[in-house]
Amino acid sequence: MIENKLVKRFLRPASVWAIVWTLFQIWIVIRGAYPSMVLRPIHVCFGMGLVFLTKPMFKKNAVPKGQKYTAKWYEYIFVAAVVFCGIYFILNGNRMMTRMAYVDDLLTMDYVVGLLMIALLLECSRRAVDTAFTIIVAVFIVYAVWGGFLPGILGHGGQDLTTLLESQVFSTAGIFNSPVSVSVSMVFYFLLFGAFLTATPAAQLFINISNVMTRKTIGGAGKASVVAAALFGMISGSAPANVASIGTIMYPSMKKQKFDPMFSGSMLSIEGTAGQLIPPVMGAAAFIMVDMTGHSYAEIMKAAILPSIVFLAGLYFLIHLYARKHDMRPINEDMSQTKKDIFKHIHLLVGVVVLVTLIIKGYSMMRSATIASACLYVICLFRKDTRLSLYDVLEAFESTARQAVAVAMPCALAGIIIGVIVNTGLGIRFSSIINSIAQSNLLLALFATMLMALVLGMGMPTSAAYIMSATLLCPTIVGLGIPVLVAHFFVFYYANLSAITPPVALASYAAGGIVEVDLWKLGLEAFKYSVVIFTIPYIFVYYPELLGIGSIGKVIFVAAITLMSAYEISAALIGFSLVPISVIERLLFAASAVMIIFPEIITTIIGIVIFAVTILMQYSRKKKALLSTSDKSI
């Protein structure tokens, strides 16, 4: 009976392909990595094959959400082409690693495989990534070949077919660039860890922890969603997916506590981005940053701690002040069973502890995540209700591969863009354009970079948005004296925040479907409340201490004034602090919030004084209101 169940569930071409891919990735950890021009093409070919087996060629063949697509006969032609390309790279890997690019001639079959790889990738992008992104990649390829005909600053020497294939397919400067390296050696293994977490009751454990932590607070249901979003980041690598997971579970309790649907949807959409920005397990783009900056993941994790605290604090302030304004008192609920469930499953967190410990100790990403996944499996054996069967393990393997496609394909496609940018000199020209706009003014350059990062990220997977933005935009602000890590964090934040920026706000759209409000209105509302978060990247550019760079004293000072500024912006947006605020107090809070984080000590002191005066005004009004209430009761 069990065998029949396994056969029925997993003996399907797509499932077998996905499981074999995962087993191959695990084998790499045991055996040791293959040469880059073998390993990276195999990884990309596995991803492409899974796309052709799971994504229909025509929209008319699309299946309802939750159902699995059964590949038509003609899809296997594409799969056969992918297998052919993969085998070709395996057989010719040594030649490709030792040949001198642009010196040794390409073979006739190299041209066939090279063109086939590009065509297959574009078709995979059309099916599984995004039509707009596919068009962008195609435009870059056209630009590489015919850009020499363009006049002015955008023109370049042009590339013939041989040069294009040399740079894009038969070197690590194109498709198999650093983003694919990150996908194959880091991201895949964290997805594996997340899949094993998902197979356990960890999701409910996170929800239970969130509810217990916030049960006695004002607006506790809203605050529980913030905590849950932070914890869910270890499972979900996508802002819309995070919104869907958290919103489905947490919104009913927010509705019960009478949070307005529009406000609830706004908070859920902003929280959805939190999972990719909050350590210890951040989104795929954070792992790509490791390769692009040369910093270790432990350093990236350390740098992300304070900004993530400010991020969560900003959300907490918004929800707390909203709840105070609408007098949302704690709901008395019996949490005894919830606490029992937490203690029953608390051992599942050991896997997370092992993961973080190994990363800090300097183990590679793939080894750390694989060992943590194995530990999690062993830990699950301790209790009957958490034990993973062979069915659960195979399902986790398949789920990992299916999620990996969403990273591997954008990374391969982004590699094409990076190759074109580098080989045509477009990056230097782009930097010149921004410099001419900003006139070497850092603030203007940052503002232009923010806008371009948001535009480039609209509707894009975060990893692809970050790669394009970092490649095009980071050199400009680094040239203005900003440290590399700070510049990449600046772009990284806005690549994530593009998910809540209209007109294409995927996280807001996901939240709108859950709370059942107008998607466009919700996108604008979420954007308004996200002003608190939008200030964070500017702060750590002018105050790198927010990324943990500098003395402990200054780090604490910068963290304090940033939290103060976040509170003031939240109060100004909500219209409430200690009591409802007047128009003048709202303006004072807003002015103070800007002055506090302005990189001049005198301005900061003036901002702090304005904040103190405004709070005293609020306190005085609150005291009068309390005295008036007590007099009436007498």
Side-chain angles (χ1 to χ4, degrees):
M1 189 73 175
I2 295 174
E3 289 181 3
N4 290 337
K5 183 182 177 183
L6 288 171
V7 168
K8 186 177 179 181
R9 171 65 179 81
F10 297 110
L11 201 59
R12 299 156 41 102
S15 298
V16 171
W17 186 280
I19 291 167
V20 170
W21 185 10
T22 303
L23 290 172
F24 170 75
Q25 294 282 157
I26 295 172
W27 168 244
I28 295 170
V29 181
I30 299 168
R31 175 209 179 269
Y34 291 90
S36 58
M37 282 306 293
V38 174
L39 180 58
R40 297 181 194 182
I42 290 175
H43 182 76
V44 172
C45 286
F46 264 122
M48 290 195 298
L50 195 55
V51 169
F52 292 126
L53 291 172
T54 58
K55 304 292 181 182
M57 186 175 186
F58 305 107
K59 284 187 177 180
K60 65 180 182 180
N61 294 329
V63 296
K65 193 174 181 180
Q67 294 185 21
K68 288 183 169 63
Y69 169 69
T70 301
K72 307 295 182 185
W73 65 268
Y74 49 80
E75 305 290 13
Y76 293 97
I77 299 174
F78 290 100
V79 175
V82 168
V83 172
F84 170 72
C85 289
I87 292 173
Y88 189 79
F89 277 101
I90 292 171
L91 296 177
N92 292 271
N94 288 332
R95 177 175 67 86
M96 292 177 191
M97 290 296 296
T98 56
R99 68 180 293 274
M100 294 181 67
Y102 307 105
V103 176
D104 295 338
D105 292 337
L106 293 175
L107 304 178
T108 302
M109 192 55 69
D110 289 342
Y111 285 95
V112 174
V113 171
L115 290 171
L116 193 57
M117 280 292 294
I118 293 174
L120 290 171
L121 260 178
L122 289 174
E123 174 60 10
C124 285
S125 177
R126 184 188 70 83
R127 295 191 192 195
V129 183
D130 182 75
T131 303
F133 190 39
T134 308
I135 294 170
I136 290 172
V137 175
V139 167
F140 269 92
I141 293 172
V142 171
Y143 174 75
V145 178
W146 288 291
F149 295 104
L150 290 175
I153 196 170
L154 292 177
H156 65 85
Q159 294 183 353
D160 58 19
L161 179 61
T162 301
T163 306
L164 180 70
L165 295 181
E166 283 272 19
S167 62
Q168 292 295 344
V169 184
F170 298 107
S171 71
T172 55
I175 293 171
F176 310 121
N177 210 313
S178 57
V180 167
S181 171
V182 173
S183 177
V184 69
S185 63
M186 298 184 195
V187 177
F188 193 97
Y189 299 96
F190 280 82
L191 292 174
L192 178 65
F193 179 72
F196 271 95
L197 269 180
T198 305
T200 70
Q204 191 56 51
L205 172 66
F206 294 156
I207 299 298
N208 290 339
I209 291 173
S210 305
N211 286 328
V212 168
M213 286 176 66
T214 60
R215 72 189 187 283
K216 292 184 179 179
T217 63
I218 293 172
K223 293 171 184 174
S225 69
V226 176
V227 178
L231 293 171
F232 255 81
M234 286 179 276
I235 295 178
S236 171
S238 158
N242 204 9
V243 172
S245 303
I246 295 299
T248 306
I249 300 169
M250 304 303 294
Y251 179 59
S253 58
M254 293 176 76
K255 188 176 181 181
K256 183 179 178 182
Q257 206 166 19
K258 297 184 178 177
F259 277 93
D260 176 69
M262 192 68 76
F263 181 81
S264 298
S266 300
M267 292 302 101
L268 289 171
S269 61
I270 299 171
E271 290 163 8
T273 64
Q276 300 186 84
L277 298 169
I278 297 172
V281 184
M282 300 160 73
F287 301 110
I288 296 168
M289 196 195 301
V290 171
D291 196 80
M292 296 191 81
T293 63
H295 288 266
S296 68
Y297 186 71
E299 291 173 311
I300 301 291
M301 228 173 24
K302 176 187 169 187
I305 291 172
L306 281 179
S308 67
I309 290 172
V310 176
F311 188 113
L312 294 176
L315 288 171
Y316 182 91
F317 293 148
L318 286 167
I319 292 169
H320 178 75
L321 296 176
Y322 181 92
R324 285 285 307 279
K325 182 178 181 179
H326 294 88
D327 196 26
M328 294 180 176
R329 301 187 182 279
I331 298 174
N332 292 320
E333 289 186 71
D334 182 12
M335 287 284 180
S336 56
Q337 184 57 49
T338 303
K339 290 179 181 177
K340 287 179 182 177
D341 290 340
I342 290 175
F343 285 114
K344 189 166 70 172
H345 296 137
I346 197 71
H347 61 290
L348 298 176
L349 295 180
V350 173
V352 179
V353 174
V354 169
L355 176 64
V356 176
T357 303
L358 291 175
I359 291 172
I360 293 172
K361 283 193 171 184
Y363 282 70
S364 68
M365 297 293 107
M366 63 164 66
R367 194 167 295 277
S368 299
T370 306
I371 293 173
S373 300
C375 286
L376 184 60
Y377 174 78
V378 172
I379 290 161
C380 287
L381 298 176
F382 292 170
R383 294 190 62 91
K384 188 176 180 180
D385 62 327
T386 60
R387 286 175 194 158
L388 299 178
S389 63
L390 177 60
Y391 184 96
D392 295 325
V393 172
L394 292 176
E395 196 163 52
F397 283 176
E398 182 180 355
S399 173
T400 300
R402 286 178 180 269
Q403 291 180 68
V405 167
V407 178
M409 290 300 97
C411 282
L413 292 157
I416 293 177
I417 295 173
I418 292 174
V420 172
I421 290 170
V422 172
N423 286 295
T424 61
L426 181 62
I428 297 170
R429 295 180 179 87
F430 212 83
S431 295
S432 299
I433 293 171
I434 296 178
N435 275 326
S436 64
I437 295 171
Q439 297 291 323
S440 296
N441 182 299
L442 179 59
L443 185 59
L444 281 177
L446 291 174
F447 187 73
T449 300
M450 177 192 75
L451 290 180
M452 289 182 179
L454 291 173
V455 170
L456 288 171
M458 284 183 186
M460 297 282 183
T462 305
S463 52
Y466 166 69
I467 293 166
M468 285 201 301
S469 302
T471 307
L472 284 171
L473 307 175
C474 280
T476 303
I477 50 180
V478 168
L480 293 173
I482 302 303
V484 172
L485 182 63
V486 176
H488 277 265
F489 254 97
F490 185 86
V491 169
F492 170 65
Y493 254 72
Y494 289 118
N496 279 279
L497 292 173
S498 64
I500 52 174
T501 308
V504 185
L506 298 183
S508 298
Y509 295 166
I514 293 167
V515 301
E516 297 179 341
V517 297
D518 182 84
L519 300 184
W520 176 250
K521 289 181 180 178
L522 177 60
L524 293 174
E525 192 79 357
F527 180 69
K528 180 184 81 173
Y529 288 119
S530 66
V531 169
V532 183
I533 315 303
F534 267 73
T535 60
I536 295 174
Y538 285 92
I539 296 171
F540 56 60
V541 166
Y542 287 102
Y543 293 104
E545 292 80 7
L546 193 61
L547 294 178
I549 303 170
S551 65
I552 294 176
K554 197 159 185 185
V555 167
I556 294 171
F557 172 74
V558 170
I561 62 171
T562 305
L563 288 170
M564 194 182 298
S565 177
Y567 176 85
E568 292 186 278
I569 296 172
S570 301
L573 288 169
I574 297 296
F576 191 94
S577 178
L578 302 179
V579 292
I581 64 177
S582 63
V583 174
I584 293 175
E585 288 170 334
R586 194 186 291 256
L587 292 173
L588 287 172
F589 270 135
S592 173
V594 174
M595 294 179 79
I596 282 174
I597 58 176
F598 200 78
E600 294 288 343
I601 189 64
I602 296 175
T603 314
T604 301
I605 292 171
I606 293 171
I608 292 172
V609 171
I610 294 173
F611 173 67
V613 170
T614 312
I615 286 292
L616 284 173
M617 291 166 60
Q618 285 269 299
Y619 179 75
S620 176
R621 287 172 56 200
K622 182 179 180 180
K623 193 174 181 181
K624 287 179 182 178
L626 289 172
L627 288 172
S628 175
T629 304
S630 62
D631 288 343
K632 287 179 182 179
S633 64
I634 293 171

